């Protein structure tokens, strides 16, 4: 009997230390709570991902993630604030604490992950570079681009990727770089470019802005992997946990069948996983400094991942992007989350 | 008399607990400085592994460790030292695991219990990502002639008591309107003995544990692990909180293994790729770009990892492939481009 006691005390001590460490570093969550709002920086405007409406409202996947944080912390998605930033000041704004995260998702790469003092949380949208052509062109795949003029925005990663792709696959296309996304769109509209290439997330929005969007298609060839991710500053594990589990909860809710519409009904579910998730049984909010109904508030406020996806970029949005890789892991995609348990 | 003595002991233990708390607090604060520096100064990595689990971690007669999780530790050693062999393995048991991570007795676990919210956020430690996707399955004898869990009916199922496993099996049979008899054991070894003795027709547990059990049974080829998974579990390396540099080193060791398989760089061909022109291969070999500096690693850290232990697929084959005599399907642990869930951000 005595043999077990020191182990319990040791475990107790560990929890105390872990808690102390947590408190010592819980600066972001504490300052967010004191401020009463979540501040999300946004530099890039991309329809469906992070875009400002005429009324000043921000919409999109990244914007909804910001609201998701506000819902878990304040039970109110309306406590999200959007802070416009210049591209060159965004990292400093995050690491200095001026903003708590970004409302525009960031391409996750080795360089971005390890050289800038930021911490990648999770991939919210698996993106990749592709091509847009007119239906009338009868171009069906990237191979058909041989001999055609393919335009790309100058000084972007897409420019280098397209060049590498054509070289590696021996496709003799004429790659033309154009400065600025608007000029790129204009060259496509006037027919001087047979195709334009960029990330799916960007092309979908550009297609939507064309005179007749449905006259244009995205080719099936996806030539890069480009995970668009949620990012926080380094040095605050508590905030990282809040950000990570807020995102995972969006996925878990979809998998458990908990939606914005049925979340109240689900409070009476017999399913132990649903009961844990919604805080009916156990308390999983405490370890990240939140109330035990944090996930209920999250789904009530913004919906689950499918709700958000459909609204912003999927079937209910103008972009009509398929789920593809962004389907859940058990429905043909790779979106996967550990359980709230 | 007895009660006084108990009181004294309690008081003594309380003091020890307090002292430990203080020591641990300092240890935790000190170790927050830089795990990388500590590891370098020590000259070797201390890698925690769970109890030996055949295929994942096992020790031979000479005391040398091998296995899937062991190879991950060796990969981290290769990233830090350019040498996969500068690592000591520390066997861990149940409740003391997080304590050892907190005090700096180990630098990481290659594998802990399944990744859950509580373990990820409640103990001052974080999972860097999933290195092995798992889930509860069933193992049966070949002679039952069953190829799917949905065919299971009217049989005895051995399950480990005290966790979600029992509930998962109940749900599964209830939803399939099938009958079974529960045979519960509190101990894995007892369960294995019971199954071997024919006290149950099927065993239900995490697929990785079923696999490890299969390897220890006589005539493993006569046992079949059915393809269905009735729960979702993932395992992955765990590091203590407070050191983002170390978190990144362990995370990018995992990502490097996955990216290398996707790009096609192997332990076998890496020596012949110095003249490669493909940009991503050149970046991963440290021939272009200056990756790694932000983590305090040399630009050839990815090359060292692959040369030292191979890519993810090679590690999987070495430990679970046909050469083991008990092959495991890649399943969810295939690359995302091949129907699995393994994905890593790009090297650029």
């Amino acid at each position: 009997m005595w043999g077990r006691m020191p182990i319990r005390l040791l475990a107790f001590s560990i929890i105390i230390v872990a808690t102390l460490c947590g408190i010592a570093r819980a600066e972001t969550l504490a300052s967010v709570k004191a401020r009463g709002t979540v501040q999300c920086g946004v530099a890039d405007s991309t329809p469906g991902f992070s875009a400002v409406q005429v009324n000043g409202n921000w919409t999109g996947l990244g914007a909804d993630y910001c609201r998701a944080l506000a819902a878990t912390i304040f039970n109110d998605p309306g406590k999200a604030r959007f802070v416009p930033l210049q591209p060159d000041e965004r990292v400093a704004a995050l690491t200095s604490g001026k903003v708590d995260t970004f409302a525009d998702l960031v391409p996750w790469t080795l360089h971005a992950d390890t050289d800038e003092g930021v911490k990648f949380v999770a991939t919210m949208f698996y993106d990749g570079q592709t091509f847009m052509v007119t239906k009338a062109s009868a171009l069906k795949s990237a191979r058909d681009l041989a001999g055609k003029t393919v335009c790309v925005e100058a000084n972007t990663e897409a420019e280098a990727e397209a060049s590498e792709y054509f070289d590696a696959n021996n496709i003799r296309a004429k790659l033309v770089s154009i400065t600025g996304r608007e000029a790129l769109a204009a060259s496509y509209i006037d027919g001087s470019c047979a195709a334009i290439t960029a990330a799916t997330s960007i092309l979908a929005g550009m297609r939507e802005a064309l005179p007749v969007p449905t006259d244009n298609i995205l080719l099936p060839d996806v030539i890069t992997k480009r995970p668009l991710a949620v990012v926080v500053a380094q040095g605050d594990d508590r905030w990282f946990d809040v950000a990570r589990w807020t995102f995972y909860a969006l996925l878990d809710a979809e998998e458990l069948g908990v939606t914005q519409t049925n979340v109240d009904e689900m409070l009476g579910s017999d399913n132990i996983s649903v009961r844990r998730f919604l805080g009916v049984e156990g308390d999983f909010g405490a370890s990240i400094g939140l109330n035990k109904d944090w996930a209920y508030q999250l789904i009530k406020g913004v919906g689950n991942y499918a709700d958000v996806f459909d609204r912003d970029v999927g079937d209910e949005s103008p972009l009509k992007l398929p789920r593809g890789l962004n389907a859940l892991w058990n429905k043909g995609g790779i979106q996967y989350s550990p359980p709230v348990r | 008399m007895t009660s006084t003595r108990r009181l004294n002991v309690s008081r003594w233990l309380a003091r020890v607990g307090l002292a430990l708390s203080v020591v641990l607090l300092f240890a935790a604060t000190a170790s927050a400085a830089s795990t990388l520096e500590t590891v370098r100064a020590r000259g070797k990595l201390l890698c925690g592994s769970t109890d030996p689990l055949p295929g994942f971690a096992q020790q031979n007669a000479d005391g040398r460790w091998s296995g899937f999780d062991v190879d991950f530790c060796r990969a981290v050693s290769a990233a830090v030292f350019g040498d996969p062999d500068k690592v000591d393995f520390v066997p861990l048991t149940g409740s003391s695991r997080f304590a050892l991570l907190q005090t700096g007795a180990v630098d990481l676990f290659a594998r802990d219990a399944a990744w859950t919210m509580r373990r990820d956020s409640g103990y001052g430690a974080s999972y860097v990502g999933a290195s092995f996707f798992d889930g509860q399955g069933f193992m049966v004898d070949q002679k039952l002639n069953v190829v799917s869990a949905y065919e299971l009916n009217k049989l005895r199922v051995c399950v480990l008591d005290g966790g979600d496993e029992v509930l998962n099996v109940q749900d599964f049979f209830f939803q399939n309107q099938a009958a079974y008899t529960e045979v519960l054991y509190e101990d894995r070894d007892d369960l294995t003995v019971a199954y071997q003795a024919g006290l149950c027709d099927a065993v239900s547990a995490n697929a990785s544990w079923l696999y490890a059990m299969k390897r220890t049974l006589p005539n493993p080829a006569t046992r079949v692990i059915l393809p269905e998974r009735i729960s979702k579990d993932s395992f992955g390396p765990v590091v203590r909180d407070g050191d983002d540099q170390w978190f990144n080193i362990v995370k990018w060791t995992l990502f490097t293994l996955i990216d290398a398989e996707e790009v096609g760089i192997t332990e076998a061909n890496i020596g012949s790729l110095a003249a490669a022109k493909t940009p991503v291969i050149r970046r991963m070999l440290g021939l272009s770009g200056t990756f790694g500096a932000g983590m305090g690693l040399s630009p050839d850290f990815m090359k060292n990892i692959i040369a030292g232990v191979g890519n993810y697929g090679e590690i999987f084959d070495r430990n679970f492939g046909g050469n083991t005599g008990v092959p495991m399907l890649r399943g969810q642990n295939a690359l995302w481009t091949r129907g699995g869930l393994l994905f890593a951000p790009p090297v650029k």
Side-chain angles (χ1 to χ4, degrees):
Chain A
M1 179 194 170
W2 292 117
R4 299 180 74 93
M5 283 298 286
I7 292 173
R8 282 195 201 145
L9 269 171
L10 184 66
F12 182 64
S13 312
I14 300 302
I15 290 165
I16 290 177
V17 171
T19 310
L20 286 173
C21 293
I23 290 168
R25 284 194 291 266
E27 292 160 12
T28 310
L29 182 60
S31 68
V32 164
K33 282 180 174 172
R35 192 199 295 133
T37 58
V38 180
Q39 306 261 32
C40 301
V42 52
D44 181 52
S45 180
T46 306
F49 292 83
S50 51
V52 68
Q53 308 300 303
V54 190
N55 60 11
N57 246 1
W58 283 86
T59 60
L61 280 183
D64 272 344
Y65 176 76
C66 182
R67 288 195 187 89
L69 279 176
T72 58
I73 298 165
F74 299 112
N75 305 345
D76 179 1
K79 301 284 187 190
R81 292 290 175 274
F82 298 92
V83 182
L85 298 170
Q86 293 303 312
D88 58 353
E89 64 172 354
R90 46 189 283 130
V91 170
L94 187 66
T95 53
S96 69
K98 183 181 169 190
V99 298
D100 309 310
T101 185
F102 296 131
D104 42 1
L105 302 170
V106 184
W108 191 348
T109 65
L110 172 54
H111 169 66
D113 196 6
T114 58
D115 294 330
E116 295 182 339
V118 304
K119 195 163 176 180
F120 280 71
V121 175
T123 300
M124 190 162 189
F125 183 85
Y126 290 95
D127 195 5
Q129 188 173 339
T130 184
F131 303 89
M132 179 163 67
V133 297
T134 61
K135 274 185 188 165
S137 72
L139 298 166
K140 295 279 185 263
S141 86
R143 294 239 153 252
D144 299 339
L145 296 171
K148 306 290 181 192
T149 299
V150 178
C151 300
V152 62
E153 190 177 347
N155 306 314
T156 59
E157 83 185 36
E159 188 180 25
E161 295 283 4
S163 164
E164 275 176 29
Y165 175 77
F166 288 140
D167 279 353
N169 292 279
N170 244 325
I171 298 169
R172 287 159 201 255
K174 187 180 172 208
L175 193 63
V176 175
S177 299
I178 294 174
T179 303
R181 211 173 283 175
E182 281 169 24
L184 179 67
S187 305
Y188 177 73
I189 292 170
D190 72 21
S192 41
C193 309
I196 54 177
T197 181
T200 301
S201 58
I202 294 168
L203 288 181
M206 290 181 76
R207 176 171 62 177
E208 192 45 37
L210 292 171
V212 188
T214 51
D215 282 352
N216 304 276
I217 57 163
L218 305 187
L219 295 181
D221 309 74
V222 178
I223 66 170
T224 62
K225 60 174 173 180
R226 188 170 183 264
L228 294 177
V230 172
V231 172
V232 295
Q234 284 189 356
D236 188 341
D237 290 302
R238 167 60 63 81
W239 185 242
F240 176 78
D241 283 345
V242 170
R244 177 181 246 187
W245 285 95
T246 294
F247 178 72
Y248 285 158
L250 294 172
L251 294 176
D252 280 328
E254 180 181 356
E255 192 175 330
L256 293 170
V258 179
T259 68
Q260 193 166 17
T261 315
N262 73 11
V263 64
D264 283 304
E265 206 179 304
M266 290 300 248
L267 288 171
S269 169
D270 291 337
N271 183 328
I272 179 70
S273 302
V274 171
R275 295 171 69 80
R276 280 179 191 141
F277 181 78
L278 294 175
V280 178
E281 209 145 316
D283 181 352
F284 292 89
S287 66
I288 55 172
L290 299 176
N291 297 329
K292 72 177 189 177
D293 68 344
W294 65 282
Y296 166 82
Q297 298 293 348
L298 166 66
I299 306 307
K300 182 95 179 158
V302 301
N304 67 30
Y305 183 83
D307 292 332
V308 172
F309 189 98
D310 291 348
R311 180 197 309 144
D312 292 327
V313 298
D315 285 346
E316 294 164 30
S317 80
L319 302 187
K320 305 255 182 293
L321 288 175
R323 283 291 289 270
L325 279 179
N326 295 294
L328 289 185
W329 64 284
N330 56 1
K331 292 186 181 164
I334 60 171
Q335 283 289 7
Y336 182 99
S337 58
V340 173
R341 196 169 71 206
Chain B
M1 180 64 195
T2 311
S3 69
T4 316
R5 185 179 147 70
R6 193 171 287 171
L7 194 68
N8 286 341
V9 172
S10 301
R11 202 175 286 161
W12 178 81
L13 283 170
R15 276 192 208 131
V16 169
L18 186 64
L20 268 174
S21 297
V22 174
V23 169
L24 286 173
L25 180 58
F26 279 102
T29 314
S31 67
S34 168
T35 306
L36 180 62
E37 282 168 29
T38 309
V39 170
R40 285 221 170 103
R42 192 196 296 131
K44 66 186 175 191
L45 181 74
L46 299 177
C47 205
S49 49
T50 45
D51 293 333
L53 190 63
F56 293 88
Q58 63 256 315
Q59 234 174 335
N60 70 8
D62 305 330
R64 188 176 162 80
W65 286 88
S66 64
F68 178 83
D69 295 325
V70 168
D71 278 345
F72 183 79
C73 296
R74 299 176 74 240
V76 177
S77 169
V80 172
F81 296 110
D83 176 350
D85 291 323
K86 299 209 166 181
V87 47
D88 278 358
F89 297 94
V90 183
L92 305 175
T93 49
S95 57
S96 65
R97 293 170 310 196
F98 285 103
L100 292 175
L101 196 55
Q102 286 289 352
T103 57
V106 297
D107 303 311
L108 74 146
F109 308 135
R111 176 195 181 90
D112 186 56
W115 188 357
T116 64
M117 179 172 183
R118 182 148 285 169
R119 295 196 185 104
D120 193 42
S121 62
Y123 297 98
S126 289
Y127 287 71
V128 304
S131 59
F132 190 88
F133 292 94
D134 204 349
Q136 191 174 342
F138 293 91
M139 179 161 68
V140 296
D141 266 32
Q142 207 174 29
K143 60 174 187 275
L144 280 185
N145 251 328
V146 166
V147 296
S148 158
Y150 293 105
E151 297 176 68
L152 299 176
N153 196 12
K154 294 179 185 161
L155 36 69
R156 298 162 301 165
V157 182
C158 276
V159 192
L160 213 55
D161 201 4
D164 282 346
E165 286 96 336
V166 180
L167 290 174
N168 291 337
V169 172
Q170 283 169 6
D171 279 355
F172 180 77
F173 280 94
F174 178 74
Q175 284 174 12
N176 291 300
Q177 302 278 299
Y180 76 109
T181 307
E182 221 167 59
V183 186
L184 300 180
Y185 289 92
E186 285 189 359
D187 182 85
R188 287 180 172 189
D189 294 337
D190 293 349
L191 196 157
T192 307
V193 171
Y195 175 60
Q196 205 176 330
L199 297 179
C200 45
D201 309 301
V203 184
S204 186
N206 258 340
S208 57
W209 183 59
L210 289 178
Y211 173 82
M213 183 177 171
K214 180 177 171 176
R215 270 170 75 145
T216 62
L217 293 172
N219 305 318
T222 65
R223 321 278 178 177
V224 184
I225 297 173
L226 302 175
E228 289 80 10
R229 298 290 175 264
I230 63 171
S231 73
K232 151 179 102 158
D233 289 300
S234 57
F235 294 87
V238 181
V239 295
R240 67 183 147 264
D241 281 350
D243 189 342
D244 287 320
Q245 180 191 48
W246 187 245
F247 180 87
N248 277 341
I249 288 170
V250 177
K251 181 176 66 179
W252 275 95
T253 298
L254 174 61
F255 287 166
T256 296
L257 296 172
I258 296 169
D259 277 330
E261 181 179 2
E262 188 179 329
V263 169
I265 307 176
T266 67
E267 189 178 5
N269 71 15
I270 194 164
S272 61
L273 290 173
K277 292 200 172 61
T278 308
V280 65
I281 294 179
R282 295 182 60 78
R283 292 194 292 267
M284 290 195 76
L285 296 184
L287 299 170
S288 68
T290 51
F291 297 105
M295 296 182 280
L297 297 181
S298 68
D300 57 359
F301 80 96
M302 291 176 277
K303 178 182 165 191
N304 292 335
I305 291 170
I306 305 162
V309 299
N311 66 36
Y312 186 97
E314 289 178 296
I315 292 175
F316 196 96
D317 286 346
R318 184 183 308 137
N319 295 294
F320 306 128
N323 62 308
T324 63
V326 191
M328 185 198 288
L329 295 175
R330 286 291 290 270
Q332 296 174 346
N333 294 301
L335 291 181
W336 65 288
T337 50
R338 294 184 192 166
L341 299 176
L342 288 176
F343 180 96
V347 173
K348 62 184 178 189

